[in-house]
Amino acid sequence: MGVRFVGRVQGVGFRAVCRDIACGFPVTGTVRNEADGSVWLEAQGSEEAVGVFIDSILERMGRLVQSHQQSRLAAVAGET
């Protein structure tokens, strides 16, 4: 799953919070700042685990997120 978060999501610890939340779920992936001020997150795991993980990010950081768009991505074998 790929998710683009738009809002006040850079310079506020957003990526670190995503990483910390991910440690509590059976998911793998990456999160990075984009040049346009958004944050791009890629997560893989079971559909349920990824969904709850993203919901947890929004629950904790949602006040900073104006919008987010999800897209399906192909799984990456061996990702950590």
Side-chain angles (χ1 to χ4, degrees):
M1 176 75 63
V3 185
R4 180 171 310 283
F5 295 96
V6 176
R8 188 168 172 251
V9 293
Q10 288 190 14
V12 293
F14 193 89
R15 291 177 301 141
V17 169
C18 290
R19 183 189 63 235
D20 291 346
I21 293 171
C23 289
F25 291 91
V27 298
T28 60
T30 61
V31 61
R32 68 176 183 259
N33 288 339
E34 296 292 313
D36 65 1
S38 66
V39 168
W40 175 252
L41 177 133
E42 292 181 13
Q44 65 181 32
S46 71
E47 189 172 332
E48 180 181 355
V50 171
V52 175
F53 166 56
I54 293 168
D55 288 346
S56 296
I57 292 169
L58 291 169
E59 181 178 312
R60 185 151 167 203
M61 301 298 283
R63 70 190 185 292
L64 302 174
V65 177
Q66 289 178 340
S67 66
H68 69 286
Q69 273 190 315
Q70 296 183 16
S71 55
R72 292 207 178 270
L73 302 174
V76 177
E79 182 177 75
T80 60

Short mmCIF file of all heavy atoms in Angstrom, two decimals, residues 3-9 14 38-39 58 62 64-70:
data_model
loop_
_atom_site.label_atom_id
_atom_site.label_comp_id
_atom_site.label_asym_id
_atom_site.label_seq_id
_atom_site.Cartn_x
_atom_site.Cartn_y
_atom_site.Cartn_z
N VAL A 3 0.79 5.45 0.51
CA VAL A 3 -0.05 6.52 1.04
C VAL A 3 0.71 7.83 0.95
O VAL A 3 1.85 7.92 1.39
CB VAL A 3 -0.47 6.27 2.51
CG1 VAL A 3 -1.43 7.35 2.97
CG2 VAL A 3 -1.06 4.90 2.70
N ARG A 4 0.08 8.83 0.34
CA ARG A 4 0.63 10.19 0.31
C ARG A 4 -0.15 11.01 1.33
O ARG A 4 -1.37 11.15 1.23
CB ARG A 4 0.52 10.82 -1.06
CG ARG A 4 1.09 12.24 -1.12
CD ARG A 4 1.20 12.79 -2.51
NE ARG A 4 1.87 11.90 -3.44
CZ ARG A 4 3.20 11.70 -3.51
NH1 ARG A 4 3.99 12.33 -2.68
NH2 ARG A 4 3.71 10.89 -4.40
N PHE A 5 0.57 11.55 2.31
CA PHE A 5 -0.01 12.40 3.33
C PHE A 5 0.31 13.86 2.99
O PHE A 5 1.47 14.19 2.75
CB PHE A 5 0.56 12.09 4.71
CG PHE A 5 0.24 10.70 5.21
CD1 PHE A 5 1.13 9.66 5.04
CD2 PHE A 5 -0.97 10.45 5.84
CE1 PHE A 5 0.84 8.39 5.51
CE2 PHE A 5 -1.28 9.18 6.31
CZ PHE A 5 -0.36 8.15 6.14
N VAL A 6 -0.71 14.69 2.97
CA VAL A 6 -0.55 16.11 2.65
C VAL A 6 -1.01 16.92 3.85
O VAL A 6 -2.00 16.57 4.51
CB VAL A 6 -1.40 16.48 1.41
CG1 VAL A 6 -1.33 17.97 1.12
CG2 VAL A 6 -0.95 15.67 0.21
N GLY A 7 -0.31 17.98 4.13
CA GLY A 7 -0.64 18.85 5.27
C GLY A 7 0.64 19.36 5.90
O GLY A 7 1.66 19.52 5.22
N ARG A 8 0.60 19.55 7.18
CA ARG A 8 1.80 19.97 7.92
C ARG A 8 2.49 18.70 8.42
O ARG A 8 2.44 18.37 9.61
CB ARG A 8 1.41 20.87 9.09
CG ARG A 8 2.60 21.49 9.75
CD ARG A 8 2.19 22.61 10.71
NE ARG A 8 3.37 23.02 11.44
CZ ARG A 8 3.57 22.77 12.72
NH1 ARG A 8 2.65 22.19 13.44
NH2 ARG A 8 4.70 23.15 13.29
N VAL A 9 3.11 17.98 7.49
CA VAL A 9 3.64 16.66 7.78
C VAL A 9 5.16 16.58 7.69
O VAL A 9 5.73 15.51 7.91
CB VAL A 9 3.00 15.59 6.88
CG1 VAL A 9 1.51 15.42 7.21
CG2 VAL A 9 3.16 15.92 5.40
N PHE A 14 6.75 13.52 11.84
CA PHE A 14 5.77 12.62 11.23
C PHE A 14 6.40 11.28 10.86
O PHE A 14 5.85 10.22 11.17
CB PHE A 14 5.15 13.29 10.01
CG PHE A 14 3.92 12.60 9.49
CD1 PHE A 14 2.67 12.92 9.96
CD2 PHE A 14 4.02 11.61 8.51
CE1 PHE A 14 1.53 12.29 9.49
CE2 PHE A 14 2.89 10.97 8.03
CZ PHE A 14 1.64 11.32 8.52
N SER A 38 4.79 16.91 0.91
CA SER A 38 4.02 15.76 1.38
C SER A 38 4.96 14.70 1.94
O SER A 38 6.19 14.82 1.86
CB SER A 38 3.18 15.16 0.24
OG SER A 38 4.02 14.61 -0.75
N VAL A 39 4.39 13.66 2.52
CA VAL A 39 5.15 12.50 2.98
C VAL A 39 4.59 11.28 2.26
O VAL A 39 3.37 11.10 2.20
CB VAL A 39 5.06 12.33 4.51
CG1 VAL A 39 5.60 10.98 4.95
CG2 VAL A 39 5.81 13.45 5.22
N LEU A 58 -3.16 7.96 11.39
CA LEU A 58 -4.15 9.03 11.30
C LEU A 58 -4.72 9.39 12.67
O LEU A 58 -4.99 10.57 12.94
CB LEU A 58 -5.25 8.64 10.33
CG LEU A 58 -4.82 8.58 8.86
CD1 LEU A 58 -5.90 7.95 8.01
CD2 LEU A 58 -4.44 9.96 8.35
N GLY A 62 -3.37 12.75 12.79
CA GLY A 62 -4.41 13.25 11.90
C GLY A 62 -4.63 14.74 11.95
O GLY A 62 -5.01 15.35 10.96
N LEU A 64 -2.53 16.92 11.81
CA LEU A 64 -1.57 17.56 10.91
C LEU A 64 -1.83 17.22 9.44
O LEU A 64 -1.22 17.82 8.56
CB LEU A 64 -0.15 17.14 11.28
CG LEU A 64 0.28 17.44 12.70
CD1 LEU A 64 1.65 16.85 12.99
CD2 LEU A 64 0.28 18.93 12.96
N VAL A 65 -2.71 16.27 9.19
CA VAL A 65 -2.96 15.77 7.84
C VAL A 65 -4.20 16.43 7.26
O VAL A 65 -5.29 16.29 7.80
CB VAL A 65 -3.13 14.23 7.85
CG1 VAL A 65 -3.47 13.71 6.47
CG2 VAL A 65 -1.90 13.54 8.41
N GLN A 66 -4.02 17.16 6.15
CA GLN A 66 -5.17 17.75 5.46
C GLN A 66 -5.87 16.71 4.61
O GLN A 66 -7.10 16.70 4.50
CB GLN A 66 -4.71 18.89 4.55
CG GLN A 66 -4.26 20.12 5.29
CD GLN A 66 -3.78 21.19 4.31
OE1 GLN A 66 -3.44 20.91 3.17
NE2 GLN A 66 -3.74 22.41 4.79
N SER A 67 -5.08 15.84 3.98
CA SER A 67 -5.65 14.77 3.15
C SER A 67 -4.62 13.66 3.01
O SER A 67 -3.44 13.85 3.27
CB SER A 67 -6.05 15.30 1.77
OG SER A 67 -4.90 15.70 1.04
N HIS A 68 -5.13 12.49 2.61
CA HIS A 68 -4.23 11.38 2.31
C HIS A 68 -4.87 10.55 1.20
O HIS A 68 -6.09 10.47 1.10
CB HIS A 68 -3.93 10.52 3.55
CG HIS A 68 -5.10 9.74 4.04
ND1 HIS A 68 -6.15 10.30 4.72
CD2 HIS A 68 -5.38 8.42 3.95
CE1 HIS A 68 -7.03 9.37 5.04
NE2 HIS A 68 -6.58 8.21 4.58
N GLN A 69 -4.01 10.02 0.34
CA GLN A 69 -4.47 9.19 -0.77
C GLN A 69 -3.77 7.86 -0.69
O GLN A 69 -2.55 7.81 -0.56
CB GLN A 69 -4.13 9.84 -2.11
CG GLN A 69 -5.15 10.80 -2.62
CD GLN A 69 -4.83 11.18 -4.05
OE1 GLN A 69 -3.69 11.47 -4.39
NE2 GLN A 69 -5.85 11.18 -4.88
N GLN A 70 -4.53 6.80 -0.79
CA GLN A 70 -3.97 5.46 -0.76
C GLN A 70 -3.98 4.85 -2.15
O GLN A 70 -4.89 5.10 -2.93
CB GLN A 70 -4.78 4.57 0.19
CG GLN A 70 -4.74 5.02 1.62
CD GLN A 70 -5.50 4.08 2.55
OE1 GLN A 70 -5.81 2.96 2.19
NE2 GLN A 70 -5.81 4.56 3.73
#
